[in-house]
């Protein structure tokens, strides 16, 4: 008889998780991120929940039913209306169900998934509401650029939306800095005859890493710069560093490998369902076709950027480093990832926040791009033909602009 006891103990242990899952779920916070072609609503949860999402028509509504749950967020922080979501309300159609109703402006395509807790984030329910017309428009725009004229620079502002990136001691978010510098750079590029900027991210929303690659490809970019800011525990560390994609296999550089792992985790933090972006092109990222050429030109671009960033602030590594960054996966496009500085350093955080410094960094990235195009023979360097351009005042920068129209 003695031997029965441990079995009872075991049964009790097995029952515990079942009991725990029957406990009530809580929606603790709700956030809304607006992208050009969709809006993303994110619910913070205390535990895994059973839920369903469906549409109701006239008027258009999206309904989210969560079983055995209550809401303890007052939804006050939602900036409503957004281009999709007009209002959000909730109720209890039955005692067991929490119903959240979103009144939406048009017929949207809902898509939802649960994210497991990670990096301090709780269980999250993500509901993406895609605007079919806007999504179609985006596809058409990308197609149009096939007959492009001039040089196209894809500018990728790292992180966004659910993913703040690194956070400074004074709570400056990497995603804010990257977007500000990206927009400044786009301004300078677009003010330059024969050049066009494509902003991969235009606002505070998340773009999956592979989608960033896809967007750069669709825009037929001649180069891609992914903009970031780094963070470490030691607050005195400072300076910029520039990365290119490493060739097949693991990189020997431990620090670079760790950084790539950190940046590649953006998808999990920002919220990507497995296989959400399934483009066959993306799967050939390490194919041989463009590898050698592109790696060489990416290296030249990276060296150019380090050279120019020297004039804008401290440099952490004086030569480019390599690691396997997912965002650098467009093998046919010279692509680099730039860590502008350390946002974890209070003095550098202050700099990164200043719009004057942001402009300086953008000018440096632009100057480096021009250098690169010159070296690659994509533009001719000449004298006495300086063209007017916004955002550049120094003599050195004017000299950078003394170029002929791009020859393609
Ligand atoms: Zn980053």
């Amino acid at each position: 008889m003695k031997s029965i006891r441990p079995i009872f103990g075991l049964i009790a242990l097995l029952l515990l998780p079942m009991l725990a899952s029957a406990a009530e779920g809580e929606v603790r916070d709700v956030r809304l991120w607006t992208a050009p072609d969709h809006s993303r609503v994110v619910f913070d949860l205390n535990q895994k929940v059973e839920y369903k999402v469906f549409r109701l028509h006239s008027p258009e509504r999206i309904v989210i039913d969560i079983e055995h749950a209550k809401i303890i967020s007052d939804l006050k922080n939602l900036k409503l209306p957004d281009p999709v979501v007009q209002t959000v309300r909730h109720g209890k159609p039955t005692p067991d169900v929490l119903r959240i109703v979103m009144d939406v402006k048009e017929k949207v395509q809902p898509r939802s998934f649960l994210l497991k807790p990670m990096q301090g984030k709780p269980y999250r329910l993500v509901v993406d509401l895609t605007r079919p017309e806007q999504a179609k428009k985006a596809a058409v725009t990308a197609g149009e650029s096939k007959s492009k004229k001039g040089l196209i620079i894809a500018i990728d502002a790292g992180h966004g939306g659910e993913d703040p990136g690194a956070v400074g001691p004074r709570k400056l978010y990497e995603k804010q800095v990257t977007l500000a510098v990206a927009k400044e750079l786009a301004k300078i590029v677009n003010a330059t005859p024969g050049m066009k900027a494509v902003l991969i991210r235009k606002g505070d929303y998340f773009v999956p890493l592979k989608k960033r690659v896809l967007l750069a490809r669709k825009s037929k970019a001649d180069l891609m710069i992914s903009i970031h800011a780094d963070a470490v525990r030691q607050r005195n560390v400072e300076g910029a560093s520039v990365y290119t994609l490493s060739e097949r296999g693991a990189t020997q550089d431990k620090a670079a490998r760790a950084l790539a792992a950190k940046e590649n985790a953006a998808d999990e933090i920002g919220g990507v369902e497995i296989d959400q972006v399934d483009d066959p092109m993306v799967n050939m990222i390490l194919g041989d076709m463009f590898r050698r050429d592109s790696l060489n030109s990416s290296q030249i671009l990276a060296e150019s950027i380090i050279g120019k960033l020297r004039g804008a602030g401290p440099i952490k590594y004086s030569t480019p480093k390599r690691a396997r960054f997912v965002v650098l996966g467009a093998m046919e496009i010279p692509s680099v990832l730039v860590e502008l500085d350390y946002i974890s350093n209070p003095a550098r955080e202050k700099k990164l926040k200043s719009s004057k410094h942001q402009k300086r960094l953008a000018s440096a990235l632009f100057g480096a791009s021009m250098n690169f195009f010159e070296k690659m023979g994509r533009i001719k360097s000449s004298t006495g033909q300086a063209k007017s351009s916004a955002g550049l005042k120094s003599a050195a920068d004017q000299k950078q602009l003394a170029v002929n129209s791009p020859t393609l």
Side-chain angles (χ1 to χ4, degrees), residues 63-205:
V63 180
I64 303 157
D65 277 353
I66 306 176
E67 280 175 42
H68 306 292
K70 62 179 177 186
I71 186 162
I72 57 171
S73 160
D74 59 8
L75 307 175
K76 253 188 210 157
N77 294 330
L78 290 179
K79 275 179 218 137
L80 292 173
D82 103 318
V84 173
V85 183
Q86 303 300 292
T87 56
V88 181
R89 53 210 152 77
H90 56 86
K92 286 233 157 199
T94 70
D96 280 349
V97 173
L98 167 66
R99 172 165 290 180
I100 295 164
V101 180
M102 296 189 275
D103 297 290
V104 290
K105 210 171 179 179
E106 56 182 290
K107 263 190 192 148
V108 288
Q109 192 57 52
R111 180 192 178 94
S112 62
F113 52 96
L114 267 182
L115 291 172
K116 285 182 188 151
M118 59 119 28
Q119 302 212 2
K121 298 241 181 201
Y123 270 109
R124 286 172 291 166
L125 168 61
V126 179
V127 182
D128 282 342
L129 306 170
T130 298
R131 306 159 73 187
E133 284 305 311
Q134 300 301 319
K136 221 185 282 170
K137 243 186 236 170
V140 170
T141 314
E144 274 168 359
S145 58
K146 272 176 193 160
S147 57
K148 66 162 195 171
K149 289 188 184 97
L151 293 168
I152 293 171
I153 300 185
I155 307 167
D156 175 44
H159 311 279
E162 281 289 284
D163 173 23
V167 182
R170 290 214 178 89
K171 299 283 170 279
L172 179 65
Y173 289 173
E174 181 185 354
K175 68 174 181 181
Q176 299 171 310
V177 176
T178 62
L179 186 62
V181 174
K183 283 183 168 173
E184 284 299 335
L185 176 55
K187 231 188 264 175
I188 304 171
V189 171
N190 287 331
T192 308
M195 297 190 93
K196 203 185 123 206
V198 172
L199 280 169
I200 301 291
R201 174 164 80 82
K202 300 183 180 81
D204 192 6
Y205 54 89

Side-chain angles (χ1 to χ4, degrees), residues 98-344:
L98 167 66
R99 172 165 290 180
I100 295 164
V101 180
M102 296 189 275
D103 297 290
V104 290
K105 210 171 179 179
E106 56 182 290
K107 263 190 192 148
V108 288
Q109 192 57 52
R111 180 192 178 94
S112 62
F113 52 96
L114 267 182
L115 291 172
K116 285 182 188 151
M118 59 119 28
Q119 302 212 2
K121 298 241 181 201
Y123 270 109
R124 286 172 291 166
L125 168 61
V126 179
V127 182
D128 282 342
L129 306 170
T130 298
R131 306 159 73 187
E133 284 305 311
Q134 300 301 319
K136 221 185 282 170
K137 243 186 236 170
V140 170
T141 314
E144 274 168 359
S145 58
K146 272 176 193 160
S147 57
K148 66 162 195 171
K149 289 188 184 97
L151 293 168
I152 293 171
I153 300 185
I155 307 167
D156 175 44
H159 311 279
E162 281 289 284
D163 173 23
V167 182
R170 290 214 178 89
K171 299 283 170 279
L172 179 65
Y173 289 173
E174 181 185 354
K175 68 174 181 181
Q176 299 171 310
V177 176
T178 62
L179 186 62
V181 174
K183 283 183 168 173
E184 284 299 335
L185 176 55
K187 231 188 264 175
I188 304 171
V189 171
N190 287 331
T192 308
M195 297 190 93
K196 203 185 123 206
V198 172
L199 280 169
I200 301 291
R201 174 164 80 82
K202 300 183 180 81
D204 192 6
Y205 54 89
F206 187 71
V207 183
L209 295 175
K210 284 182 178 177
K211 192 170 178 196
R212 292 173 197 246
V213 176
L214 198 64
L215 288 171
R217 278 206 166 114
K218 278 188 171 170
S219 68
K220 305 275 166 194
D222 295 283
L223 67 81
M224 174 167 175
I225 302 177
S226 185
I227 302 173
H228 291 258
D230 208 349
V232 285
R233 259 171 227 269
Q234 303 93 311
R235 292 206 165 175
N236 59 339
V237 178
E238 62 172 20
S241 49
V242 184
Y243 298 81
T244 60
L245 190 70
S246 75
E247 294 178 65
R248 193 173 298 158
T251 170
Q252 295 300 308
D253 188 324
K254 253 189 181 175
R257 206 164 57 207
L259 179 73
K262 198 164 70 179
E263 298 293 7
N264 291 344
D267 275 353
E268 294 169 70
I269 304 165
V272 171
E273 196 180 12
I274 305 302
D275 293 334
Q276 191 174 341
V277 182
D278 200 15
D279 175 60
M281 283 287 276
V282 174
N283 296 327
M284 50 156 276
I285 56 169
L286 289 171
D288 283 327
M289 216 196 285
F290 308 103
R291 240 170 95 226
R292 190 63 57 184
D293 263 12
S294 160
L295 286 175
N296 284 343
S297 45
S298 296
Q299 177 77 11
I300 293 169
L301 174 60
E303 283 166 1
S304 250
I305 290 177
I306 292 174
K308 285 288 170 186
L309 282 177
R310 268 182 213 288
I315 299 291
K316 171 84 169 145
Y317 302 115
S318 56
T319 54
K321 285 174 160 271
R322 290 181 174 182
R324 287 184 72 167
F325 293 92
V326 174
V327 78
L328 301 182
M331 290 304 295
E332 74 282 23
I333 305 171
S335 306
V336 295
L337 184 142
V338 181
E339 299 282 350
L340 294 171
D341 209 328
Y342 283 83
I343 203 169
S344 45

